[in-house]
Amino acid sequence: QVQLVESGGGLVQPGGSLRLSCAASGSIFSINAMGWYRQAPGKQRELVATITSGGSTNYADSVKGRFTISRDNAKNTVYLQMNSLKPEDTADYYCKMVVVRTTTSGPRVSWGQGTQVTVSS
């Protein structure tokens, strides 16, 4: 089993910053892509940012220039630095990792439980 635990969400004023973390634990041989997704009330879950094992990143247009995704492979952790936050960034944020558990198993997708981010004055 692989568990993903997110932290760092909360309430912040518009223009503020938050840093989300997501740490994986359990049976892990390697982790391929990591990413962050979000889901606002009444809306579908959407991609925020992804990062490959080689460090290549991809961002939703709505967060480019404001959010930065990074990873620490030694800690099996992915981060999302969120700056210049807007009310429309309010959502539950979920991390996703493509995990290889053993040398003979294929990659599997694991999701975190979500952390709430509220941007409001």
Side-chain angles (χ1 to χ4, degrees), residues 8-120:
L11 173 64
V12 64
Q13 292 186 342
S17 298
L18 283 175
R19 188 192 195 207
L20 305 183
S21 300
C22 174
S25 62
S27 177
I28 299 171
F29 174 71
S30 66
I31 303 177
N32 298 340
M34 298 178 174
W36 288 94
Y37 293 72
R38 67 186 181 186
Q39 187 167 16
K43 295 188 177 181
Q44 289 188 334
R45 189 173 297 188
E46 63 177 5
L47 180 147
V48 176
T50 61
I51 184 167
T52 68
S53 57
S56 296
T57 58
N58 180 54
Y59 297 92
D61 288 342
S62 59
V63 306
K64 282 181 181 177
R66 300 188 297 123
F67 291 10
T68 302
I69 189 171
S70 61
R71 61 189 287 169
D72 185 333
N73 293 326
K75 296 181 179 180
N76 292 330
T77 299
V78 62
Y79 305 97
L80 185 68
Q81 178 66 44
M82 304 186 293
N83 299 328
S84 303
L85 282 160
K86 305 175 181 180
E88 51 263 44
D89 294 317
T90 296
D92 291 325
Y93 283 71
Y94 299 87
C95 65
K96 172 186 171 182
M97 296 188 186
V98 181
V99 179
V100 177
R101 297 183 185 181
T102 71
T103 57
T104 57
S105 64
R108 293 188 179 182
V109 173
S110 294
W111 287 91
Q113 81 287 353
T115 185
Q116 190 173 53
V117 172
T118 302
V119 185
S120 176

